Amino acid sequence: MVLVIGESHARRHMSLYGYPRDTNPLLSARRGELSVYTDVVSPQVHTIPVLRAALTFADWDHPERLTTYPSLIELFNRAGFETYVISNQPLLDGSSSYDAFLKLADHTVDLSARKAPDGILLPPFEQALTAPSDRPKLIVLHLMGCHIGYKYRYPADFDFFTRLNDTLPNAQPDLTPEARTTVDEYDNSVRYNDYLLSTLIARIEREHTPAALIYFSDHGEEVNEFRPFNGHAYEKVTSYMCEVPFLVWLSPDFRRMRPDLRFDLTRPYSTVDLPYTMANLAALRFQGYDDTRSLLSPHFRPRPRRVGELPYETVLDMTRKAKERQRAPSFFGSLTRRFAE
Ligand SMILES: [Zn+2]
């Protein structure tokens, strides 16, 4: 099983999800083999709180499960998997953060010091995939993905969308040249991520062994969508920051082995419940397992979703209002401007 954790990857910028720019040429070619979930949100909009939630059984009702339950990696260790974590983000010693949970893997590789695009994860992935083992494997990849500093996330030959060939869709008419460049660079990082995920799937496929890959992004990103802002910050939270891609790919053998799984792509889901989906996919059963919280279970039941302290519906409402405010300057705002003129 392969779990790929993306970074700051907004599904709105993926052509797989309808973005008019072709940011997913390779994954789109595999569309028929991919389960592309359309309504998955993150439980926060910053890496640390999201991964503390997604890599453990802790949730809003049971924060104590951060320590009283095994974390995701620990669960797979105990179930007899050989576990690998290959990261392009630092695996520090901070026991208060999520890296403490990733470091529980049997094998860890931290390439973050090289400050290179995510392609540097491919050689250690190859090693993990082909290392002799009589146990099933869980390989977790933690990407730098589409993190801010977008132009550093892809090699020069992925400098595809530029102002020269600009077909930027739905652009604000008043988007500055700098803001347009930021969107171009962000979309290039999305297109590089498309290459990376496709390369991983193609490589796994060649093993001809039952295999599954799950991809999700820790949180989304706002990229000059309706106001001059790019990034993610809870105090400015919008739906762009919490609506994430969630993809499942299964090898034909794996799919045949698991006729019990359901693929209902419109299920509303939060990655706070990721451990239940991972456990279900690996056919693990344990005290505390709740089948209604697996995205792939026939017994799935939607649950209220929160982004930090806010219900997701409130975030949608706040986003709508923020866009309205941006479109319609206040009476006093226009009065001030008239004075300025
Ligand atoms: Zn992040």
Side-chain angles (χ1 to χ4, degrees):
M1 285 183 55
V2 179
L3 174 66
V4 186
I5 306 170
E7 172 63 65
S8 306
H9 193 185
R11 68 166 177 251
R12 198 191 100 80
H13 282 259
M14 299 172 72
S15 49
L16 267 187
Y17 285 91
Y19 191 51
R21 267 183 167 175
D22 191 16
T23 48
N24 292 124
L26 300 171
L27 289 178
S28 295
R30 287 187 179 270
R31 174 111 216 179
E33 314 160 24
L34 284 174
S35 300
V36 180
Y37 286 85
T38 57
D39 191 10
V40 178
V41 299
S42 59
Q44 236 282 5
V45 299
H46 294 279
T47 311
I48 290 173
V50 169
L51 292 189
R52 281 167 67 101
L55 297 175
T56 73
F57 287 93
D59 57 31
W60 296 287
D61 300 326
H62 297 285
E64 78 285 356
R65 288 182 183 169
L66 196 70
T67 51
T68 59
Y69 271 52
S71 64
L72 182 67
I73 301 271
E74 212 175 346
L75 179 75
F76 277 77
N77 285 342
R78 292 193 200 178
F81 277 69
E82 185 142 17
T83 52
Y84 298 79
V85 167
I86 304 167
S87 182
N88 205 11
Q89 297 206 30
L91 288 171
L92 302 171
D93 286 318
S95 56
S96 63
S97 190
Y98 66 86
D99 39 16
F101 301 116
L102 289 176
K103 287 179 82 170
L104 294 169
D106 297 323
H107 313 270
T108 57
V109 180
D110 174 358
L111 295 174
S112 61
R114 285 174 51 187
K115 301 204 180 306
D118 288 324
I120 51 164
L121 301 180
L122 292 172
F125 175 75
E126 174 73 25
Q127 281 167 12
L129 193 68
T130 55
S133 176
D134 51 7
R135 293 188 278 159
K137 291 177 185 173
L138 171 69
I139 306 175
V140 178
L141 296 171
H142 190 195
L143 309 184
M144 196 43 109
C146 312
H147 194 280
I148 212 153
Y150 311 133
K151 66 177 167 188
Y152 302 111
R153 308 298 162 223
Y154 52 90
D157 51 337
F158 276 80
D159 192 13
F160 184 77
F161 302 110
T162 69
R163 271 183 287 164
L164 297 175
N165 67 358
D166 194 3
T167 53
L168 187 62
N170 307 323
Q172 290 172 261
D174 55 347
L175 214 56
T176 63
E178 291 75 23
R180 294 177 82 88
T181 300
T182 302
V183 179
D184 287 340
E185 290 169 353
Y186 185 78
D187 288 348
N188 286 333
S189 76
V190 172
R191 198 164 162 276
Y192 183 62
N193 175 284
D194 176 78
Y195 154 79
L196 194 84
L197 291 178
S198 305
T199 304
L200 290 171
I201 292 172
R203 182 60 195 87
I204 298 165
E205 216 169 27
R206 286 207 305 278
E207 288 297 294
H208 299 290
T209 187
L213 178 143
I214 285 193
Y215 173 75
F216 74 104
S217 179
D218 61 344
H219 48 78
E221 186 87 331
E222 193 179 306
V223 196
N224 298 319
E225 255 82 21
F226 66 95
R227 56 184 176 183
F229 173 76
N230 66 286
H232 52 276
Y234 186 62
E235 58 280 13
K236 300 181 120 178
V237 66
T238 55
S239 53
Y240 300 107
M241 300 179 200
C242 64
E243 292 175 346
V244 293
F246 195 102
L247 310 176
V248 177
W249 176 86
L250 304 180
S251 73
D253 287 342
F254 195 104
R255 202 173 279 271
R256 264 193 297 279
M257 282 162 50
R258 297 300 302 276
D260 58 308
L261 300 178
R262 295 290 175 276
F263 302 94
D264 177 353
L265 305 181
T266 59
R267 284 179 174 178
Y269 200 61
S270 165
T271 51
V272 71
D273 283 343
L274 178 78
Y276 298 95
T277 298
M278 292 293 291
N280 186 15
L281 197 56
L284 307 182
R285 286 294 181 275
F286 49 91
Q287 198 184 340
Y289 175 72
D290 184 347
D291 211 25
T292 68
R293 296 172 74 166
S294 164
L295 184 57
L296 305 171
S297 165
H299 308 116
F300 172 79
R301 275 204 309 268
R303 295 162 55 81
R305 293 180 288 176
R306 275 163 61 174
V307 181
E309 296 299 313
L310 303 164
Y312 171 52
E313 292 70 22
T314 304
V315 175
L316 287 175
D317 202 41
M318 286 164 61
T319 309
R320 191 176 49 74
K321 285 182 180 149
K323 287 167 101 166
E324 280 168 9
R325 270 198 306 276
Q326 202 68 27
R327 257 187 250 120
S330 71
F331 171 71
F332 289 107
S334 56
L335 202 65
T336 318
R337 253 203 311 283
R338 204 161 297 168
F339 269 114
E341 281 164 13

